[in-house]
Amino acid sequence: MKLAYLLIILYALAFAAPFVNLYLRKYSGWILAALPILVFGYLLSQVPAVSAGTVYAEEYAWIPQLNVNLRFQLDGLSLLFAMLITGIGGLILIYAGYYMRSYEKTGRFFSYLIFFMASMLGLVLSTNLIGLFVFWELTSVSSFLLIGFKHEKPEARDAALQALLITGLGGLALLAGFVLMSIPYGTFELTVMIANPDLLTGHRLFIPALILILAGAFTKSAIFPFHFWLPGAMQAPSPVSAFLHSATMVKAGVFLLARLNPLMDGSEIWFYSLSVFGATTMFVGAWLSIAQTDIKKILAYTTVSAMGTLVLLIGTNTTYSMNAFLIFLLVHAFYKATLFMMAGNIEKKTGTREIEQLGNLRAYMPIATGIMLLALLSMSGLPPMLGFIGKELIYEAKVNAPGAAPFILAMGFLANTFMVFVSIRLALDIFWGKEVRFTQKPFEPDISLLTGPAILVLISLFLGLFPDIIEKSVVTSALRAISPDTEPVDLKIWHGFNLVLLLSAITILTGVMLYLYKTKTIAFARMVNLRYFRTRFSKRFFDFIGLFLHLTKKKTAFVQHGYHRFYLMTIFIATSVLVWYMIAKVPFTHIQLESLRTVPLFYIAVAALIIMSAIATLTAQSRLIAFISIGLVSFGISVIFITFSGVDLAITMIMVETLMVILGAMVVYHLPKYLNYSGKSSRVRDAMIALAFGSFMTVLVIKTGAAPPQDKVSDFFSLNSYPLAHGKNIVNVILVDFRALDTMGEITVLAIAAIGIYALLKVKLKPGE
Amino acid sequence: MRSEILKIAALHLKPLLLSLSLILLIRGHNEPGGGFVGGLMAGTAYVLYGMAFGAEKTRQLCMVKPFLLIGLGLLFALVSGLLALLLTGGAIMEGIWFSIPVYGDFAFKLGSPLLFDSGVYLLVAGMLMLVMLSIMEEG
């Protein structure tokens, strides 16, 4: 099966989703989930071949002239991501089918969600940078629609806009970075670049390209200092957070870094910048999660921390770190998707996400409690979950980190401790503790709401017990794609007593200690946040946007003032100045004034008519007379067209002018009386503009006539009109055949203008609007 | 202020103008004329009628709404442009011609440009009707 078919199937499903939802309301989640799960099954069946070293690739020409093609490749890395996207995506659809029931327009929601899934799949499969960029942007757009799904809430709209602007700006930087990257190679094909990395790392454009690409990846993955959009995005419905903010959207940036790693791994700067930004984000995210009270916000900040960890692991670039990267990627996807879904369940069944308003839920929802506990075990890195193996590997990587190991280890230790604290808090404060007065009586979530989380935690548990399964299947082949020289590490749940195990034990003990002094810990975190983290990134961002809007409004008000006469003046003055400048630059050729003597009387009469009508227009005492006089000017011109056998032009002009006068008269009928004449000074000004414009037209026509005839485009048309287009009327053939695309544009403008006129005249605002 | 002379003139001129506009449209490919002028003329027929009988009667007379005409016009033009792409795999907006033999060497040639021109015709006529009706119904 072609990889492109997978994408086409999912995009088709996105468009079909509203209809499926319309007819099969109750079961739509399960039915819509079927296709992604089938795709997942197909991908799963490819695992043996891919881990044996096969790489599926296919290429479709898109703009071959610019070396821009769509190339899809299924190797270890893209297979791993593709399975996460479709597998978790399918489970999320089952969950969303029930979760979104109380919402309106669920069909649209499914459509956006599947569209996002398909774009994300396209992103991880693409190896042509332009193709990758297009899918990258599609994920940004669909995530905007998903985050802002509750668009009647202003906070949701703000959060969606913030996410879109930040990831969108990052996307632009990324595109620029891709273009710079392509310069040394002359192609956008990533596989070609990876085959010869020195060409890029030795190039003088390498540093600018690197900065731009990091900007793109960091904004997408919510890396400090761009981390603030992710907690804001918690305005999205829970299925969105569970999908986008655990396994997919935010991981796109991490995916890109992993994809580019073999290309960049000759560069010191690459590793330093990833380590510094990764370690900072890991710490900041974990720290900020302490003082939060909203379950989803807590999870969002731990996600920020996890993204930092992943970036740091790529930057550390050792055998352990690369292995840890892949394992932690899976670990995080499993537990975070589960936790977000469970957060949604808790909100659904109790009406709140505030941790302080929850307690003793264990008595009401025992199954949910079990699932949540297992996921939290994984998050805090305790056995027997896969999270334990992930954390052990990360510690191993940090202990052996080259360069700044003590610093990174300290940051990592603190971040992990906070994670343990947060996990304990999420477990004990929600499911144990005091019984609180609930606004609605909580009960066990329905089967559709529990299926996805249950499957994910069970996988996490199973893989924790038998880790060599993933090592043999996906890790080995994914390592080949991101870091060809790295050997896979033997994954075991029991490593024996060593430094890493000691670190884990201390981490957990410290976490427990923090929890025992919970009130003090939280109070301390709040105090520090208030005193030293006063800078509200999100608020700063909106201030900046506000300032920008203010400036653009001012600029627009200056240029687009809304006075028709000044627009006309601007156009006339600008044209006159530019054309006069060109006329003055070209030497004046000789004009045969003698030929003027032979002008027939007929032309003189028509010219006199035109001039007289023009004067009549200027001196007219009413608008109607002015309209009719200016119509006369045009009729005079059409007479000239006829005598020079421009019949087409002439009839069109006569029709247009007739209609102008009629419509003008109709409009005049509604206008107030013509009382305010323009003053003398403005008349002089207008006269000067008119003279400048009229005189350049005259001089231009005379000069054009005097210039020797050169190769004329009209020759082509008159020669080819009949043979190629079967038409003898050249004007018409040009309009409807040779230049049909132009005409298409023009009639579109006409249609828009008609709608505009209709709107102006017909749509009346109610008072107060 | 409805003049009887204008009414009778409009009543009789309307079919004449409409048929003339169609003739202009069809002959446009080889002789002066075309969809734009034809559309203007068709629109004029209705403008004249509207001046004589008022907006309400004109609206009743129109079998199709002006918006539909505009939409159809755009659709015709677009379809004619895509025909080449779909049928022969040629470039967008490339002309496609069908020759219908009538007698001996003489064949009636029908091409996608005529469809395009009809689109222009419908759009221009619809736009004129829309603008005229909107202005007349104002105030």
Side-chain angles (χ1 to χ4, degrees), chain A residues 448-488:
Chain A
S448 309
L449 293 178
L450 287 178
T451 309
I455 290 177
L456 289 177
V457 280
L458 289 179
I459 293 176
S460 193
L461 177 65
F462 176 76
L463 292 178
L465 295 173
F466 306 101
D468 52 332
I469 294 175
I470 31 173
E471 181 204 326
K472 291 205 184 82
S473 56
V474 286
V475 171
T476 317
S477 56
L479 269 179
R480 261 201 302 274
I482 61 171
S483 177
D485 307 328
T486 307
E487 291 294 316

mmCIF file of all heavy atoms in Angstrom, chain A residues 448-488:
data_model
loop_
_atom_site.group_PDB
_atom_site.id
_atom_site.type_symbol
_atom_site.label_atom_id
_atom_site.label_comp_id
_atom_site.label_asym_id
_atom_site.label_seq_id
_atom_site.Cartn_x
_atom_site.Cartn_y
_atom_site.Cartn_z
ATOM 1 N N SER A 448 -16.894 4.407 27.144
ATOM 2 C CA SER A 448 -16.186 5.101 26.063
ATOM 3 C C SER A 448 -15.134 6.043 26.621
ATOM 4 O O SER A 448 -14.111 6.296 25.992
ATOM 5 C CB SER A 448 -17.160 5.918 25.221
ATOM 6 O OG SER A 448 -18.234 5.144 24.830
ATOM 7 N N LEU A 449 -15.404 6.577 27.788
ATOM 8 C CA LEU A 449 -14.471 7.527 28.383
ATOM 9 C C LEU A 449 -13.278 6.821 29.018
ATOM 10 O O LEU A 449 -12.244 7.427 29.242
ATOM 11 C CB LEU A 449 -15.174 8.387 29.431
ATOM 12 C CG LEU A 449 -16.237 9.344 28.914
ATOM 13 C CD1 LEU A 449 -16.886 10.088 30.055
ATOM 14 C CD2 LEU A 449 -15.639 10.328 27.929
ATOM 15 N N LEU A 450 -13.447 5.532 29.342
ATOM 16 C CA LEU A 450 -12.371 4.829 30.047
ATOM 17 C C LEU A 450 -11.550 3.929 29.133
ATOM 18 O O LEU A 450 -10.428 3.556 29.471
ATOM 19 C CB LEU A 450 -12.959 4.001 31.200
ATOM 20 C CG LEU A 450 -13.436 4.825 32.381
ATOM 21 C CD1 LEU A 450 -14.031 3.931 33.444
ATOM 22 C CD2 LEU A 450 -12.290 5.648 32.971
ATOM 23 N N THR A 451 -12.108 3.584 27.952
ATOM 24 C CA THR A 451 -11.402 2.644 27.073
ATOM 25 C C THR A 451 -10.001 3.131 26.726
ATOM 26 O O THR A 451 -9.007 2.423 26.926
ATOM 27 C CB THR A 451 -12.200 2.452 25.781
ATOM 28 O OG1 THR A 451 -13.535 2.143 26.128
ATOM 29 C CG2 THR A 451 -11.614 1.344 24.936
ATOM 30 N N GLY A 452 -9.938 4.357 26.208
ATOM 31 C CA GLY A 452 -8.650 4.886 25.768
ATOM 32 C C GLY A 452 -7.626 4.925 26.880
ATOM 33 O O GLY A 452 -6.545 4.327 26.769
ATOM 34 N N PRO A 453 -7.941 5.591 28.009
ATOM 35 C CA PRO A 453 -6.968 5.629 29.110
ATOM 36 C C PRO A 453 -6.558 4.241 29.568
ATOM 37 O O PRO A 453 -5.366 3.985 29.787
ATOM 38 C CB PRO A 453 -7.725 6.363 30.215
ATOM 39 C CG PRO A 453 -8.749 7.165 29.525
ATOM 40 C CD PRO A 453 -9.108 6.435 28.277
ATOM 41 N N ALA A 454 -7.529 3.317 29.662
ATOM 42 C CA ALA A 454 -7.209 1.982 30.163
ATOM 43 C C ALA A 454 -6.221 1.295 29.233
ATOM 44 O O ALA A 454 -5.209 0.727 29.676
ATOM 45 C CB ALA A 454 -8.484 1.158 30.289
ATOM 46 N N ILE A 455 -6.486 1.357 27.930
ATOM 47 C CA ILE A 455 -5.585 0.693 26.985
ATOM 48 C C ILE A 455 -4.178 1.280 27.104
ATOM 49 O O ILE A 455 -3.180 0.548 27.153
ATOM 50 C CB ILE A 455 -6.132 0.834 25.554
ATOM 51 C CG1 ILE A 455 -7.387 -0.013 25.397
ATOM 52 C CG2 ILE A 455 -5.080 0.410 24.534
ATOM 53 C CD1 ILE A 455 -8.048 0.099 24.059
ATOM 54 N N LEU A 456 -4.104 2.606 27.179
ATOM 55 C CA LEU A 456 -2.782 3.243 27.218
ATOM 56 C C LEU A 456 -1.998 2.868 28.477
ATOM 57 O O LEU A 456 -0.812 2.577 28.411
ATOM 58 C CB LEU A 456 -2.915 4.765 27.098
ATOM 59 C CG LEU A 456 -3.326 5.258 25.718
ATOM 60 C CD1 LEU A 456 -3.503 6.755 25.710
ATOM 61 C CD2 LEU A 456 -2.292 4.854 24.679
ATOM 62 N N VAL A 457 -2.659 2.870 29.636
ATOM 63 C CA VAL A 457 -1.885 2.517 30.844
ATOM 64 C C VAL A 457 -1.492 1.052 30.825
ATOM 65 O O VAL A 457 -0.422 0.686 31.309
ATOM 66 C CB VAL A 457 -2.594 2.813 32.184
ATOM 67 C CG1 VAL A 457 -2.482 4.249 32.543
ATOM 68 C CG2 VAL A 457 -4.007 2.335 32.214
ATOM 69 N N LEU A 458 -2.379 0.216 30.266
ATOM 70 C CA LEU A 458 -2.023 -1.206 30.238
ATOM 71 C C LEU A 458 -0.821 -1.439 29.332
ATOM 72 O O LEU A 458 0.067 -2.230 29.659
ATOM 73 C CB LEU A 458 -3.231 -2.039 29.797
ATOM 74 C CG LEU A 458 -4.336 -2.100 30.870
ATOM 75 C CD1 LEU A 458 -5.524 -2.903 30.386
ATOM 76 C CD2 LEU A 458 -3.789 -2.673 32.175
ATOM 77 N N ILE A 459 -0.789 -0.729 28.193
ATOM 78 C CA ILE A 459 0.386 -0.849 27.318
ATOM 79 C C ILE A 459 1.625 -0.409 28.075
ATOM 80 O O ILE A 459 2.678 -1.064 28.050
ATOM 81 C CB ILE A 459 0.207 0.017 26.050
ATOM 82 C CG1 ILE A 459 -0.902 -0.539 25.180
ATOM 83 C CG2 ILE A 459 1.508 0.070 25.255
ATOM 84 C CD1 ILE A 459 -1.203 0.319 23.977
ATOM 85 N N SER A 460 1.480 0.702 28.777
ATOM 86 C CA SER A 460 2.618 1.237 29.518
ATOM 87 C C SER A 460 3.101 0.237 30.576
ATOM 88 O O SER A 460 4.302 0.028 30.764
ATOM 89 C CB SER A 460 2.194 2.560 30.165
ATOM 90 O OG SER A 460 3.294 3.264 30.631
ATOM 91 N N LEU A 461 2.150 -0.413 31.218
ATOM 92 C CA LEU A 461 2.498 -1.410 32.240
ATOM 93 C C LEU A 461 3.157 -2.623 31.595
ATOM 94 O O LEU A 461 4.203 -3.109 32.047
ATOM 95 C CB LEU A 461 1.219 -1.826 32.973
ATOM 96 C CG LEU A 461 1.352 -2.920 34.031
ATOM 97 C CD1 LEU A 461 2.217 -2.443 35.177
ATOM 98 C CD2 LEU A 461 -0.026 -3.321 34.564
ATOM 99 N N PHE A 462 2.555 -3.090 30.496
ATOM 100 C CA PHE A 462 3.060 -4.276 29.815
ATOM 101 C C PHE A 462 4.482 -4.033 29.310
ATOM 102 O O PHE A 462 5.386 -4.855 29.512
ATOM 103 C CB PHE A 462 2.113 -4.612 28.665
ATOM 104 C CG PHE A 462 2.563 -5.763 27.830
ATOM 105 C CD1 PHE A 462 2.422 -7.065 28.300
ATOM 106 C CD2 PHE A 462 3.120 -5.559 26.583
ATOM 107 C CE1 PHE A 462 2.829 -8.135 27.528
ATOM 108 C CE2 PHE A 462 3.533 -6.624 25.818
ATOM 109 C CZ PHE A 462 3.394 -7.927 26.293
ATOM 110 N N LEU A 463 4.677 -2.873 28.669
ATOM 111 C CA LEU A 463 5.999 -2.575 28.140
ATOM 112 C C LEU A 463 7.005 -2.352 29.259
ATOM 113 O O LEU A 463 8.198 -2.589 29.095
ATOM 114 C CB LEU A 463 5.953 -1.352 27.221
ATOM 115 C CG LEU A 463 5.185 -1.566 25.918
ATOM 116 C CD1 LEU A 463 5.158 -0.290 25.106
ATOM 117 C CD2 LEU A 463 5.801 -2.692 25.110
ATOM 118 N N GLY A 464 6.502 -1.886 30.413
ATOM 119 C CA GLY A 464 7.390 -1.743 31.560
ATOM 120 C C GLY A 464 7.899 -3.099 32.031
ATOM 121 O O GLY A 464 9.044 -3.244 32.453
ATOM 122 N N LEU A 465 7.041 -4.106 31.932
ATOM 123 C CA LEU A 465 7.438 -5.439 32.380
ATOM 124 C C LEU A 465 8.280 -6.153 31.335
ATOM 125 O O LEU A 465 9.179 -6.919 31.666
ATOM 126 C CB LEU A 465 6.188 -6.258 32.711
ATOM 127 C CG LEU A 465 5.373 -5.737 33.889
ATOM 128 C CD1 LEU A 465 4.075 -6.507 34.029
ATOM 129 C CD2 LEU A 465 6.183 -5.830 35.179
ATOM 130 N N PHE A 466 7.972 -5.913 30.053
ATOM 131 C CA PHE A 466 8.718 -6.586 28.981
ATOM 132 C C PHE A 466 9.333 -5.555 28.042
ATOM 133 O O PHE A 466 8.911 -5.440 26.884
ATOM 134 C CB PHE A 466 7.799 -7.532 28.205
ATOM 135 C CG PHE A 466 7.078 -8.509 29.074
ATOM 136 C CD1 PHE A 466 5.754 -8.287 29.425
ATOM 137 C CD2 PHE A 466 7.734 -9.628 29.567
ATOM 138 C CE1 PHE A 466 5.091 -9.180 30.245
ATOM 139 C CE2 PHE A 466 7.067 -10.519 30.385
ATOM 140 C CZ PHE A 466 5.741 -10.286 30.723
ATOM 141 N N PRO A 467 10.297 -4.811 28.536
ATOM 142 C CA PRO A 467 10.780 -3.679 27.729
ATOM 143 C C PRO A 467 11.536 -4.099 26.472
ATOM 144 O O PRO A 467 11.643 -3.314 25.541
ATOM 145 C CB PRO A 467 11.697 -2.930 28.690
ATOM 146 C CG PRO A 467 12.100 -3.923 29.704
ATOM 147 C CD PRO A 467 10.996 -4.904 29.824
ATOM 148 N N ASP A 468 12.048 -5.357 26.447
ATOM 149 C CA ASP A 468 12.851 -5.688 25.270
ATOM 150 C C ASP A 468 12.009 -5.763 23.999
ATOM 151 O O ASP A 468 12.542 -5.761 22.901
ATOM 152 C CB ASP A 468 13.634 -6.979 25.498
ATOM 153 C CG ASP A 468 12.741 -8.103 25.965
ATOM 154 O OD1 ASP A 468 11.716 -7.794 26.609
ATOM 155 O OD2 ASP A 468 13.055 -9.270 25.685
ATOM 156 N N ILE A 469 10.664 -5.819 24.163
ATOM 157 C CA ILE A 469 9.808 -5.833 22.971
ATOM 158 C C ILE A 469 9.999 -4.547 22.164
ATOM 159 O O ILE A 469 10.232 -4.589 20.951
ATOM 160 C CB ILE A 469 8.326 -5.976 23.362
ATOM 161 C CG1 ILE A 469 8.109 -7.344 23.991
ATOM 162 C CG2 ILE A 469 7.427 -5.803 22.145
ATOM 163 C CD1 ILE A 469 6.711 -7.545 24.511
ATOM 164 N N ILE A 470 9.915 -3.391 22.854
ATOM 165 C CA ILE A 470 10.087 -2.143 22.099
ATOM 166 C C ILE A 470 11.512 -1.966 21.628
ATOM 167 O O ILE A 470 11.751 -1.420 20.560
ATOM 168 C CB ILE A 470 9.681 -0.861 22.879
ATOM 169 C CG1 ILE A 470 9.912 -1.031 24.360
ATOM 170 C CG2 ILE A 470 8.297 -0.433 22.552
ATOM 171 C CD1 ILE A 470 9.697 0.248 25.122
ATOM 172 N N GLU A 471 12.446 -2.447 22.449
ATOM 173 C CA GLU A 471 13.839 -2.288 22.034
ATOM 174 C C GLU A 471 14.067 -2.951 20.688
ATOM 175 O O GLU A 471 14.636 -2.373 19.774
ATOM 176 C CB GLU A 471 14.746 -2.899 23.099
ATOM 177 C CG GLU A 471 16.215 -2.759 22.790
ATOM 178 C CD GLU A 471 17.030 -3.824 23.494
ATOM 179 O OE1 GLU A 471 16.661 -4.219 24.608
ATOM 180 O OE2 GLU A 471 18.020 -4.265 22.909
ATOM 181 N N LYS A 472 13.562 -4.202 20.561
ATOM 182 C CA LYS A 472 13.800 -4.935 19.321
ATOM 183 C C LYS A 472 12.982 -4.376 18.166
ATOM 184 O O LYS A 472 13.418 -4.371 17.022
ATOM 185 C CB LYS A 472 13.439 -6.408 19.522
ATOM 186 C CG LYS A 472 14.397 -7.120 20.453
ATOM 187 C CD LYS A 472 14.410 -8.606 20.181
ATOM 188 C CE LYS A 472 15.286 -9.322 21.187
ATOM 189 N NZ LYS A 472 14.558 -9.567 22.461
ATOM 190 N N SER A 473 11.739 -3.933 18.471
ATOM 191 C CA SER A 473 10.861 -3.564 17.364
ATOM 192 C C SER A 473 11.117 -2.154 16.867
ATOM 193 O O SER A 473 11.456 -1.960 15.701
ATOM 194 C CB SER A 473 9.409 -3.726 17.793
ATOM 195 O OG SER A 473 9.175 -2.952 18.959
ATOM 196 N N VAL A 474 10.921 -1.149 17.727
ATOM 197 C CA VAL A 474 10.956 0.215 17.197
ATOM 198 C C VAL A 474 12.231 0.974 17.533
ATOM 199 O O VAL A 474 12.691 1.786 16.729
ATOM 200 C CB VAL A 474 9.728 1.030 17.659
ATOM 201 C CG1 VAL A 474 8.504 0.571 16.910
ATOM 202 C CG2 VAL A 474 9.537 0.925 19.145
ATOM 203 N N VAL A 475 12.802 0.730 18.695
ATOM 204 C CA VAL A 475 13.914 1.589 19.118
ATOM 205 C C VAL A 475 15.119 1.434 18.185
ATOM 206 O O VAL A 475 15.702 2.419 17.743
ATOM 207 C CB VAL A 475 14.312 1.268 20.581
ATOM 208 C CG1 VAL A 475 15.593 1.984 20.947
ATOM 209 C CG2 VAL A 475 13.204 1.684 21.515
ATOM 210 N N THR A 476 15.434 0.180 17.834
ATOM 211 C CA THR A 476 16.605 -0.040 17.003
ATOM 212 C C THR A 476 16.492 0.693 15.678
ATOM 213 O O THR A 476 17.418 1.394 15.238
ATOM 214 C CB THR A 476 16.769 -1.543 16.741
ATOM 215 O OG1 THR A 476 16.529 -2.229 17.959
ATOM 216 C CG2 THR A 476 18.127 -1.861 16.220
ATOM 217 N N SER A 477 15.331 0.553 15.021
ATOM 218 C CA SER A 477 15.196 1.169 13.691
ATOM 219 C C SER A 477 15.082 2.684 13.813
ATOM 220 O O SER A 477 15.582 3.413 12.948
ATOM 221 C CB SER A 477 14.002 0.585 12.967
ATOM 222 O OG SER A 477 12.840 0.758 13.741
ATOM 223 N N ALA A 478 14.432 3.172 14.884
ATOM 224 C CA ALA A 478 14.319 4.627 15.045
ATOM 225 C C ALA A 478 15.695 5.230 15.315
ATOM 226 O O ALA A 478 16.015 6.317 14.830
ATOM 227 C CB ALA A 478 13.362 4.975 16.174
ATOM 228 N N LEU A 479 16.531 4.502 16.067
ATOM 229 C CA LEU A 479 17.889 4.993 16.334
ATOM 230 C C LEU A 479 18.673 5.138 15.041
ATOM 231 O O LEU A 479 19.421 6.098 14.861
ATOM 232 C CB LEU A 479 18.621 4.025 17.259
ATOM 233 C CG LEU A 479 18.505 4.275 18.745
ATOM 234 C CD1 LEU A 479 19.262 3.218 19.499
ATOM 235 C CD2 LEU A 479 19.032 5.664 19.095
ATOM 236 N N ARG A 480 18.476 4.172 14.126
ATOM 237 C CA ARG A 480 19.153 4.267 12.825
ATOM 238 C C ARG A 480 18.821 5.575 12.134
ATOM 239 O O ARG A 480 19.645 6.159 11.450
ATOM 240 C CB ARG A 480 18.718 3.098 11.936
ATOM 241 C CG ARG A 480 19.705 1.951 11.898
ATOM 242 C CD ARG A 480 19.491 1.111 10.670
ATOM 243 N NE ARG A 480 18.145 0.560 10.590
ATOM 244 C CZ ARG A 480 17.760 -0.582 11.177
ATOM 245 N NH1 ARG A 480 18.628 -1.286 11.862
ATOM 246 N NH2 ARG A 480 16.531 -1.014 11.068
ATOM 247 N N ALA A 481 17.555 6.036 12.314
ATOM 248 C CA ALA A 481 17.130 7.248 11.610
ATOM 249 C C ALA A 481 17.645 8.511 12.276
ATOM 250 O O ALA A 481 17.943 9.492 11.592
ATOM 251 C CB ALA A 481 15.608 7.297 11.522
ATOM 252 N N ILE A 482 17.737 8.528 13.620
ATOM 253 C CA ILE A 482 18.091 9.798 14.255
ATOM 254 C C ILE A 482 19.562 9.882 14.592
ATOM 255 O O ILE A 482 20.124 10.967 14.694
ATOM 256 C CB ILE A 482 17.241 10.093 15.514
ATOM 257 C CG1 ILE A 482 17.436 9.019 16.571
ATOM 258 C CG2 ILE A 482 15.806 10.254 15.159
ATOM 259 C CD1 ILE A 482 16.795 9.392 17.890
ATOM 260 N N SER A 483 20.215 8.755 14.782
ATOM 261 C CA SER A 483 21.609 8.810 15.173
ATOM 262 C C SER A 483 22.257 7.481 14.793
ATOM 263 O O SER A 483 22.331 6.557 15.594
ATOM 264 C CB SER A 483 21.690 9.053 16.686
ATOM 265 O OG SER A 483 23.019 9.051 17.093
ATOM 266 N N PRO A 484 22.680 7.381 13.536
ATOM 267 C CA PRO A 484 23.068 6.084 12.977
ATOM 268 C C PRO A 484 24.178 5.378 13.747
ATOM 269 O O PRO A 484 24.247 4.153 13.711
ATOM 270 C CB PRO A 484 23.529 6.434 11.573
ATOM 271 C CG PRO A 484 22.939 7.765 11.286
ATOM 272 C CD PRO A 484 22.798 8.463 12.585
ATOM 273 N N ASP A 485 25.032 6.139 14.452
ATOM 274 C CA ASP A 485 26.163 5.477 15.104
ATOM 275 C C ASP A 485 25.818 4.923 16.477
ATOM 276 O O ASP A 485 26.631 4.247 17.104
ATOM 277 C CB ASP A 485 27.330 6.477 15.266
ATOM 278 C CG ASP A 485 27.674 7.113 13.946
ATOM 279 O OD1 ASP A 485 27.503 6.418 12.929
ATOM 280 O OD2 ASP A 485 28.084 8.286 13.937
ATOM 281 N N THR A 486 24.608 5.246 16.977
ATOM 282 C CA THR A 486 24.288 4.865 18.343
ATOM 283 C C THR A 486 23.760 3.443 18.404
ATOM 284 O O THR A 486 22.926 3.039 17.616
ATOM 285 C CB THR A 486 23.240 5.833 18.916
ATOM 286 O OG1 THR A 486 23.718 7.148 18.731
ATOM 287 C CG2 THR A 486 23.011 5.563 20.376
ATOM 288 N N GLU A 487 24.278 2.717 19.383
ATOM 289 C CA GLU A 487 23.828 1.344 19.600
ATOM 290 C C GLU A 487 22.624 1.359 20.537
ATOM 291 O O GLU A 487 22.553 2.182 21.447
ATOM 292 C CB GLU A 487 24.950 0.538 20.258
ATOM 293 C CG GLU A 487 26.134 0.278 19.369
ATOM 294 C CD GLU A 487 25.767 -0.625 18.208
ATOM 295 O OE1 GLU A 487 25.061 -1.625 18.451
ATOM 296 O OE2 GLU A 487 26.173 -0.333 17.072
ATOM 297 N N PRO A 488 21.670 0.443 20.351
ATOM 298 C CA PRO A 488 20.575 0.354 21.318
ATOM 299 C C PRO A 488 21.076 -0.195 22.646
ATOM 300 O O PRO A 488 21.995 -1.016 22.686
ATOM 301 C CB PRO A 488 19.590 -0.615 20.661
ATOM 302 C CG PRO A 488 20.382 -1.344 19.648
ATOM 303 C CD PRO A 488 21.498 -0.464 19.223
#
